[in-house]
Amino acid sequence: MHELPRWRHLVFHWNLTSFLISKRSPKSQDPYVCSLLCSCNLWNISQQLPLLDCRFLEGYREQRLAHLVLGAITMGYVWQEGETQPRGVLPRTLAIPFVEVSRALGLPPILVHSDLVLTNWTKRNPKGNLETIISLPGGKSLRGFVLVTVLVEKAAAPGVKALVQGVEAIVQSSQDALLQALQQLRLSIQDITRTLGQMHDYVDPDIFYAAIRIFLSGWKDNPAMPTGLIYEGVSTEPLWYSGGSAAQSSVLHAFDEFLGIRHCKESADFLHRMRDYMPPSHKAFIEDIRSAPALRGRVLACGPGPCLTAYNQCLQALAELRRYHITVVARYLVTAAARARSRSQGDLLRPPKALEDRGTGGTPVLSFLKSVREATLDAIICPRA
Ligand code: HEM
């Protein structure tokens, strides 16, 4: 049978609503991990765990839930006593099932964006109020951080759909359909920016900086764990993995590929590495968008007109989203770090220092984020060019 071109799979396999796990997760809202962490009891408990067998997990959704739970326990185990005493060895009762379920899912054995956000939500009541499934220290701010990011992923759903419609429109040479797809993409990007603003309503910058961030940190590019982490019973050599970051969300990767944005080598290398922290089907979606007939070439070929204007408006909206994200990062990291430095030694909210000028993904934050925004602006096509 004639094989379909790669982009065709987009239309058949990605009749999607968003990257979020779509149906309601099991009723397992569980403050247990959080309370173990807060009571600093996780080291003892983890030693006593029975060896869990992942073969008992039924299907993909249970595997994703297991990855979330084991990921959260692992972060707690490593960082429970703060950055000065991270654990260098993950006990086999955690390491073996975590690596097993990670292999089954094609994910690395560390808490990733698809765990903390995409899997970690449920509806508290029939009205649809959201709740997290697994909690980490940080109380209401942790909850707000996760759930606002869930809402951002939801706001991105029409944009992701628009990519599929845009590719179809290019293939069918339908200018009207392409224009519609671009307009829908711009509206979705603007909605993401508005939704991101809710971070300020629900997340306290000092709590984020001092209490939450460390539990998202990894053991790669992190001076607090230069020797990585040994997964006992799996490997005698240490392994290195980056911490959880929304840079692992597939949304902006897919938008960038569709719009033909080219990042500088250093930023592109980091972003490409983050794709290995996404569920393989999400990574494949981004690759499918990349290999689809190119939007940018089509817009350039059409010349000045409504499609070019709509294309540029998408880029402007995306650059604005990235500008706004930088202001969020400045408030939650840069300003919070300065405040933390000026606090007295005895203060309970004494934050970790190792990642002071780095993101949880390990980047030198501001220069990276600015370069990514610049590349977005550089892609704007001057109508007379
Ligand atoms: C308190 C809130 C947030 C903070 C402090 C924050 C911080 C950061 C940092 C430090 C980076 C650099 C990569 C790293 O080292 O981790 C980053 C990248 C990124 N963040 Fe956020 N972030 C926040 C919320 C969000 C949300 C809600 C989203 C939406 C899904 C998001 C999307 C991204 C993306 C896509 C990147 C990669 C750079 C890009 O493509 O523009 N962030 N973030």
Side-chain angles (χ1 to χ4, degrees):
M1 203 176 99
H2 178 65
E3 205 182 321
L4 289 166
R6 196 177 158 85
W7 60 265
R8 264 274 163 209
H9 295 276
L10 284 174
V11 183
F12 288 114
H13 294 303
W14 288 94
N15 195 3
L16 43 71
T17 48
S18 77
F19 290 115
L20 293 161
I21 281 267
S22 59
K23 287 193 203 109
R24 192 178 162 172
S25 299
K27 277 192 203 151
S28 55
Q29 211 269 323
D30 186 5
Y32 187 58
V33 175
C34 184
S35 66
L36 281 179
L37 278 172
C38 293
S39 63
C40 290
N41 237 338
L42 204 54
W43 286 357
N44 300 339
I45 301 277
S46 302
Q47 306 286 353
Q48 295 157 21
L49 274 177
L51 189 61
L52 303 169
D53 188 338
C54 293
R55 283 172 305 180
F56 291 114
L57 294 171
E58 281 178 15
Y60 182 70
R61 289 162 55 77
E62 280 197 13
Q63 287 176 340
R64 285 279 295 265
L65 193 60
H67 200 274
L68 162 64
V69 174
L70 291 167
I73 298 176
T74 295
M75 297 320 242
Y77 186 85
V78 171
W79 297 117
Q80 179 180 291
E81 295 290 327
E83 65 169 357
T84 50
Q85 298 179 56
R87 298 305 258 195
V89 180
L90 193 66
R92 59 196 302 278
T93 46
L94 274 177
I96 292 175
F98 195 20
V99 168
E100 240 175 62
V101 78
S102 298
R103 281 187 188 138
L105 287 168
L107 286 171
I110 187 167
L111 190 78
V112 290
H113 175 83
S114 66
D115 298 318
L116 186 71
V117 175
L118 303 183
T119 311
N120 193 16
W121 64 279
T122 185
K123 288 182 182 167
R124 203 188 325 161
N125 52 37
K127 272 200 215 147
N129 292 359
L130 294 178
E131 192 50 87
T132 53
I133 297 172
I134 290 289
S135 199
L136 290 167
K140 282 186 186 159
S141 287
L142 183 277
R143 185 171 166 271
F145 177 69
V146 172
L147 295 179
V148 170
T149 313
V150 167
L151 293 178
V152 165
E153 291 280 343
K154 186 164 176 271
V160 176
K161 250 185 176 164
L163 305 188
V164 178
Q165 285 156 2
V167 170
E168 270 290 87
I170 296 167
V171 171
Q172 288 167 5
S173 296
S174 166
Q175 285 232 29
D176 285 350
L178 181 57
L179 189 58
Q180 250 183 24
L182 288 170
Q183 283 164 347
Q184 190 182 322
L185 176 58
R186 173 179 54 81
L187 290 175
S188 170
I189 295 170
Q190 289 169 334
D191 197 20
I192 293 175
T193 310
R194 266 190 301 276
T195 310
L196 181 58
Q198 291 187 43
M199 218 38 106
H200 299 298
D201 303 330
Y202 295 102
V203 185
D204 179 309
D206 294 328
I207 294 182
F208 177 81
Y209 187 75
I212 296 178
R213 221 163 76 96
I214 188 163
F215 290 103
L216 311 181
S217 304
W219 24 100
K220 179 175 166 58
D221 303 325
N222 186 348
M225 280 190 76
T227 50
L229 181 69
I230 291 179
Y231 290 69
E232 198 181 61
V234 176
S235 159
T236 49
E237 294 298 316
L239 303 174
W240 282 268
Y241 293 107
S242 300
S245 164
Q248 297 161 357
S249 161
S250 309
V251 171
L252 262 58
H253 288 253
F255 289 1
D256 283 352
E257 291 295 0
F258 180 67
L259 294 167
I261 296 168
R262 295 284 165 256
H263 295 294
C264 71
K265 185 175 178 323
E266 206 180 333
S267 300
D269 284 351
F270 170 75
L271 287 169
H272 277 259
R273 201 159 56 69
M274 287 299 103
R275 293 184 186 177
D276 294 335
Y277 290 72
M278 298 173 186
S281 58
H282 298 190
K283 183 177 169 179
F285 176 74
I286 298 166
E287 289 305 320
D288 286 354
I289 293 284
R290 184 186 177 82
S291 61
L295 167 69
R296 195 174 160 82
R298 183 60 55 95
V299 171
L300 278 166
C302 289
C307 273
L308 188 139
T309 306
Y311 172 77
N312 279 345
Q313 284 171 343
C314 285
L315 290 166
Q316 275 150 356
L318 190 53
E320 170 56 21
L321 165 58
R322 286 186 156 134
R323 186 201 63 76
Y324 187 69
H325 176 260
I326 292 174
T327 66
V328 172
V329 173
R331 180 162 184 247
Y332 283 88
L333 299 188
V334 185
T335 321
R339 245 193 326 271
R341 273 194 299 272
S342 69
R343 264 199 300 265
S344 69
Q345 278 289 311
D347 199 311
L348 275 178
L349 275 184
R350 249 192 3 250
K353 286 212 168 73
L355 283 181
E356 201 171 61
D357 57 350
R358 290 190 170 254
T360 47
T363 60
V365 182
L366 290 181
S367 59
F368 164 69
L369 293 176
K370 282 179 185 161
S371 91
V372 172
R373 177 171 172 266
E374 283 303 308
T376 311
L377 286 169
D378 287 347
I380 291 175
I381 300 171
C382 170
R384 272 183 251 119

